[in-house]
Amino acid sequence: MATPDFIREIRATAGHQLLWMPGVSAIVLDDEGRVLLGRRADSGRWSIIGGIPDPGEQPAACAAREVLEETAVHCVPERVLLVQALEPVTYPNGDRCQFMDICFLCRAESSECRVNDDESLEVGWFALDSLPPLDSFALHRIKLATEEAPTWFEGVPAA
C-alpha cells in the first residue's frame, strides 16, 4: 500500500517508532458471489483490498474509496465483518506500525475491474472454489463474508 502523505509527515518527527494506525479491508462480492482480489505490487501476492483512512475519513467510506482507487469498482459497504488489532509490522525501511483493521462486506455495483493505481499488478474476480493462494488474513475474512456470520471480535466468545 502506498504511504499516505500524512504518515510521511508523522514519520519525519516520529522516526521508526511504532505507530498505532487505523486500517480497513473489504470483501467485495459481485452478483455471482465472486470475490474481488488484487495482486499486490509490494509482495506479488493476491489479497483482499484495503488501506488506511485519511484523517477524519469514515471507515466505510474509506473501504469504498480504496476499492475504487485500486480496482475501478464502485461498491457499497453493507456491514462490518470484523474488528481486529493486528500484530505489529516492521517494514524494510525500519518503520513499525500496528493496525486496527475494520473489515467490511461490500456489494459491487458492477463487475468491470482493472488495475487502477500502482498498488496492484493485477485485479480480478474469483469464484470461491477457485481462489488463488491467499494468507489467513484474507481467507478468514472471506469465510466470514460468505457464511453470513455475525460480526467477529477476537477474544470475545460468540453469543
Side-chain angles (χ1 to χ4, degrees):
M1 103 181 44
T3 304
D5 290 338
F6 79 93
I7 294 176
R8 288 186 224 282
E9 292 172 12
I10 292 169
R11 285 286 180 207
T13 57
H16 298 300
Q17 70 178 296
L18 181 69
L19 296 180
W20 177 245
M21 301 284 299
V24 301
S25 56
I27 303 300
V28 183
L29 300 176
D30 70 2
D31 290 338
E32 297 176 35
R34 299 177 302 172
V35 64
L36 180 63
L37 301 174
R39 194 162 69 85
R40 296 175 57 100
D42 60 356
S43 68
R45 295 187 48 86
W46 286 97
S47 188
I48 60 176
I49 309 302
I52 300 170
D54 291 328
E57 184 178 27
Q58 294 298 323
C62 176
R65 175 182 57 78
E66 288 288 344
V67 169
L68 181 62
E69 286 179 359
E70 295 181 27
T71 70
V73 171
H74 290 271
C75 70
V76 177
E78 293 184 336
R79 68 183 179 95
V80 173
L81 293 172
L82 166 150
V83 178
Q84 182 183 33
L86 305 178
E87 292 295 318
V89 176
T90 301
Y91 294 97
N93 68 356
D95 287 352
R96 295 174 33 234
C97 290
Q98 187 169 12
F99 292 93
M100 173 67 73
D101 181 48
I102 303 170
C103 184
F104 293 90
L105 171 61
C106 300
R107 181 68 48 200
E109 293 185 324
S110 73
S111 291
E112 291 186 37
C113 64
R114 68 174 185 273
V115 173
N116 207 35
D117 65 11
D118 60 357
E119 294 183 43
S120 299
L121 301 172
E122 297 177 74
V123 298
W125 293 100
F126 292 86
L128 297 176
D129 61 358
S130 300
L131 296 173
L134 294 168
D135 60 25
S136 60
F137 175 91
L139 290 172
H140 179 60
R141 286 153 175 76
I142 292 169
K143 181 179 177 187
L144 291 172
T146 57
E147 291 182 349
E148 298 187 18
T151 303
W152 184 86
F153 303 100
E154 186 166 336
V156 177

